[in-house]
Amino acid sequence: MENTINELKNKANERLTELKKKSSLISVLRLISFVGGIPFLIAGISDKKGMYIFAGAYLLITFFFLIYVHACFNKMISHDETYINVLDRYLNRLNGNWMQEIDDGGEFLTQEDVLSRDIDLLGKNSLYQYISIAHTPKGRRRLADTLSLKTDNLSVRSERYKAVKELSLADEFRYEFETRTMKNSKLLEAPEVVEEKFSGWMYPLMLIVPVINIVSLIMVFGYGYNPGLILATFVAGLAITWIPKGKLDVLSAPVYVYGKTAGDFYEILNEINKSEFRSGILSELKNRVTGQKGILKAVKDMQRMGDFAAISFNPIIHMLLAGFIGWDFYLARRTVAWTAKNKDIFTNCEDIIAEFEELGSLAVLSAVRETTEPEIIEDMKLGFDEIYHPLINREKVVSNSGNLDGHITIITGSNMSGKTTFMRTIAVNAVLAYAGAGVCAKSFKLPIMKLFTSMRITDDVSSGISTFYAEILRIKRAADYVEAGSEPPALCLIDEIFKGTNSADRIVGATEAVKKLSSGKCMVILTTHDFELCDIQEADGRPADNYHFEEYYENDEILFDYKMKSGRCTTRNAIALLKMAGIVKN
């Protein structure tokens, strides 16, 4: 994949260089055509010489055409620059440099969302930061809500996986789609469409302006009248157009608000239009874009109006159009007709694009890592083969296999041996499974469970809550859920249980807390350095399952294999780590 992306990037850079050269040339030609056209036109009108008028008109038409061409080249340049940026983001994911991405979803991380904090779903160095291709406000929010499990996708999980899998294989679509959304993200917010009416008295005025100018041209060039007549009718047309300008500006305001937005939306929707999808969700989304009642045509119409309206941003051109043809009347009339038909169109655009951004972001994980479809089972157990953490570098990550089928699983092990990372691996892959994404494993079997975590515990000085008490509150929340017999069953992941208090209280407190949790529909996985907790029994007297991680030594250097093994740990490494840090001397 890395080689393919680099090839695409090299081609884009070559294309970008050529586009910039051509854009510079067109800019020079545009200036020449304008500077040359005006004198010819003035001389032709003054001297009544058709050749000069023709030459001037030809150069000015060329000028307007080159304005359009130059804008097209600038669009292509902007596209390729953004496209290269998108490819660089994929390379960063593959090379382990993704943490430099600015958007980490941290703004969506609330104090109450302990799950996202504990297992890095949102915020700095998070899953969101790693996979997000969402750039629109609604798309970013949608992805954040999905990853933090605020959105319940369980009933459509299987259909979502099909869509995610299909997008993970559609590399070029994802690159182009993200290019469009990234390039236009600051403008892709659905404006409110306000309906106005085009008053009846405006129709005669709209017709009078072009008519009087056509008549004056015929009289001057056909019957030899004074050329000043053209100027007179032009000024009259300008007055007729500008007297009701306040009302016309109100009527045509939507095209200036929506015109650019429509062009941005059209670029993205057209990428959907050009693609073929097989999965149900993606096919339905495409149908909303291009079906019989699809929104693509309406968006394209507004884009065209926006392009025409953009011409009038030049005050000289706007004056000419207003005086000769009553431009503002026609723009206002067309805008009113469009808004009457398409009041909710931009909200629909936003929703469709946001859903593609969310599913596409989940697909990124399957595009850059080895994933598989999880299997949802009824039994209260976890089965996994070569499961690994998605945020650890591909060259360094270690996978684990096993089956956890007891109500209580105790994991012991030396410092830095991989206990906490293993629990986060289980949790983050469970989140991916429930979101409808692929999981980072050869296989992963799990039931639907409510996730509770107690990992990154901090005190709250302002509320007078210590670290120990904060952990108690975390565990109480899970215990209350279990005691109430709530559904689905709970999966409670506790790291270094009650580490904020002394060992005697910790052992007693942990024993009681874990027994309470295991008395209902709950699986508890906890890590500890207290070997005494390995003897905890479930509420029915069944002993807890024990697993461990351990270190080994080579040439007086401490090493870890990060592999989970059966049974309790029998080694310690605190002194060795102190020696490595230079605190304890040999």
Side-chain angles (χ1 to χ4, degrees):
M1 184 180 191
E2 190 170 350
N3 290 337
T4 302
I5 293 175
N6 277 318
E7 287 177 9
L8 291 172
K9 184 179 174 181
N10 290 335
K11 289 179 182 178
N13 274 315
E14 292 172 3
R15 188 168 60 243
L16 185 60
T17 300
E18 285 300 311
L19 286 171
K20 287 181 176 179
K21 288 180 182 177
K22 291 178 181 178
S23 177
S24 298
L25 176 61
I26 291 170
S27 183
V28 172
L29 294 175
R30 185 181 64 178
L31 178 62
I32 292 172
S33 63
F34 180 79
V35 172
I38 294 296
F40 272 113
L41 196 61
I42 293 173
I45 293 174
S46 300
D47 300 336
K48 297 183 181 180
K49 292 185 177 179
M51 184 64 70
Y52 285 174
I53 292 173
F54 176 79
Y58 177 79
L59 286 171
L60 289 179
I61 290 171
T62 301
F63 168 71
F64 289 128
F65 175 70
L66 290 177
I67 288 176
Y68 171 76
V69 173
H70 192 254
C72 291
F73 269 89
N74 283 340
K75 271 188 174 181
M76 289 188 285
I77 288 169
S78 176
H79 171 274
D80 279 356
E81 288 175 340
T82 310
Y83 182 75
I84 291 167
N85 190 359
V86 168
L87 296 178
D88 281 335
R89 297 182 77 217
Y90 275 89
L91 290 173
N92 286 338
R93 293 184 182 104
L94 293 169
N95 297 330
N97 297 321
W98 57 272
M99 294 179 192
Q100 65 188 13
E101 294 295 333
I102 296 173
D103 184 17
D104 59 15
E107 67 197 79
F108 306 114
L109 185 57
T110 63
Q111 194 63 39
E112 296 75 27
D113 189 2
V114 296
L115 176 66
S116 294
R117 291 181 184 278
D118 280 355
I119 63 173
D120 302 308
L121 298 176
L122 303 174
K124 189 176 181 180
N125 302 337
S126 65
L127 182 63
Y128 179 104
Q129 188 177 8
Y130 183 57
I131 67 172
S132 176
I133 64 168
H135 299 284
T136 68
K138 190 171 284 188
R140 295 178 65 248
R141 164 63 73 179
R142 187 179 179 111
L143 177 61
D145 287 348
T146 291
L147 293 181
S148 57
L149 299 184
K150 292 185 180 71
T151 302
D152 184 1
N153 292 303
L154 292 173
S155 61
V156 290
R157 181 197 58 78
S158 180
E159 286 303 308
R160 282 171 60 82
Y161 178 79
K162 293 175 184 176
V164 169
K165 183 64 177 176
E166 183 172 2
L167 288 175
S168 74
L169 299 174
D171 292 339
E172 192 54 41
F173 171 78
R174 285 197 325 278
Y175 302 155
E176 284 292 342
F177 182 82
E178 186 180 5
T179 297
R180 307 290 183 183
T181 56
M182 180 187 287
K183 183 163 67 78
N184 304 314
S185 60
K186 292 182 180 178
L187 301 166
L188 286 174
E189 293 190 52
E192 181 182 358
V193 179
V194 180
E195 292 186 66
E196 297 280 355
K197 291 187 177 180
F198 193 82
S199 301
W201 57 266
M202 293 181 179
Y203 286 101
L205 298 179
M206 184 173 69
L207 295 173
I208 286 173
V209 176
V211 168
I212 62 173
N213 280 289
I214 291 170
V215 170
S216 71
L217 287 170
I218 293 172
M219 293 177 72
V220 170
F221 293 105
Y223 297 97
Y225 277 70
N226 191 316
L229 183 60
I230 295 175
L231 179 61
T233 55
F234 167 74
V235 172
L238 202 59
I240 293 170
T241 303
W242 282 6
I243 287 172
K245 184 168 173 53
K247 177 64 175 176
L248 292 174
D249 284 347
V250 171
L251 295 178
S252 58
V255 79
Y256 294 105
V257 177
Y258 316 148
K260 181 65 173 75
T261 301
D264 299 331
F265 276 128
Y266 181 80
E267 280 189 24
I268 301 168
L269 296 176
N270 198 41
E271 286 300 322
I272 298 170
N273 172 49
K274 292 187 297 184
S275 302
E276 294 296 328
F277 300 109
R278 296 185 303 276
S279 61
I281 290 177
L282 298 183
S283 296
E284 175 58 28
L285 287 172
K286 180 177 178 177
N287 187 57
R288 287 171 61 186
V289 173
T290 61
Q292 193 171 11
K293 296 182 179 180
I295 62 179
L296 192 65
K297 182 181 182 302
V299 174
K300 181 63 175 176
D301 288 344
M302 175 50 78
Q303 182 198 18
R304 289 195 187 101
M305 286 193 290
D307 290 341
F308 281 116
I311 295 173
S312 63
F313 282 126
N314 185 308
I316 296 175
I317 296 174
H318 187 199
M319 186 183 297
L320 292 172
L321 291 172
F324 280 117
I325 65 173
W327 171 265
D328 293 9
F329 285 108
Y330 290 94
L331 186 62
R333 176 68 188 91
R334 186 70 187 90
T335 303
V336 168
W338 188 91
T339 54
K341 287 186 190 177
N342 303 293
K343 188 172 183 180
D344 298 323
I345 194 151
F346 290 119
T347 300
N348 291 334
C349 288
E350 248 190 349
D351 291 340
I352 292 169
I353 291 169
E355 191 161 354
F356 265 100
E357 285 183 308
E358 177 220 359
L359 294 171
S361 295
L362 296 176
V364 165
L365 184 64
S366 293
V368 299
R369 306 299 288 260
E370 294 293 330
T371 64
T372 191
E373 183 177 8
E375 182 180 347
I376 303 299
I377 58 177
E378 297 295 328
D379 297 335
M380 282 281 293
K381 62 181 181 181
L382 300 172
F384 43 91
D385 183 23
E386 295 191 23
I387 196 168
Y388 67 93
H389 199 294
L391 302 186
I392 298 177
N393 188 288
R394 295 182 306 156
E395 307 301 323
K396 297 179 180 179
V397 69
V398 175
S399 63
N400 272 286
S401 303
N403 290 283
L404 306 181
D405 55 8
H407 277 269
I408 305 174
T409 299
I410 309 294
I411 300 177
T412 49
S414 52
N415 297 290
M416 299 170 56
S417 59
K419 304 184 300 298
T420 304
T421 298
F422 170 74
M423 286 210 301
R424 290 196 176 111
T425 298
I426 294 295
V428 75
N429 278 290
V431 167
L432 290 168
Y434 301 152
V439 294
C440 296
K442 280 195 173 179
S443 68
F444 188 28
K445 299 178 182 180
L446 73 165
I448 301 299
M449 291 182 286
K450 171 77 171 177
L451 298 179
F452 291 93
T453 58
S454 179
M455 295 183 183
R456 291 191 172 113
I457 310 295
T458 57
D459 58 4
D460 186 346
V461 177
S462 63
S463 301
I465 297 176
S466 68
T467 303
F468 176 54
Y469 190 62
E471 187 175 3
I472 289 175
L473 294 178
R474 289 268 194 108
I475 293 175
K476 182 180 184 302
R477 190 178 300 122
D480 290 344
Y481 180 90
V482 173
E483 189 174 24
S486 302
E487 291 290 344
L491 173 60
C492 201
L493 301 149
I494 307 173
D495 186 36
E496 301 292 350
I497 187 167
F498 294 149
K499 57 182 173 290
T501 190
N502 64 77
S503 59
D505 286 343
R506 179 165 58 247
I507 292 167
V508 173
T511 301
E512 294 303 316
V514 173
K515 279 186 177 180
K516 187 173 182 63
L517 288 169
S518 68
S519 63
K521 292 181 178 180
C522 179
M523 286 185 69
V524 182
I525 304 175
L526 66 87
T527 67
T528 182
H529 286 289
D530 295 309
F531 294 156
E532 294 89 339
L533 294 180
C534 294
D535 296 321
I536 286 179
Q537 295 181 344
E538 297 179 12
D540 61 3
R542 178 183 170 183
D545 292 334
N546 277 272
Y547 294 91
H548 73 278
F549 290 81
E550 62 186 14
E551 80 284 1
Y552 64 98
Y553 297 87
E554 286 184 3
N555 301 322
D556 293 328
E557 182 181 1
I558 186 170
L559 301 171
F560 304 95
D561 61 11
Y562 305 112
K563 286 290 188 180
M564 186 179 72
K565 303 173 179 65
S566 296
R568 63 185 70 185
C569 182
T570 58
T571 63
R572 303 174 187 268
N573 70 355
I575 296 300
L577 291 174
L578 289 169
K579 287 180 179 179
M580 285 175 60
I583 296 174
V584 173
K585 304 298 182 182
N586 290 331

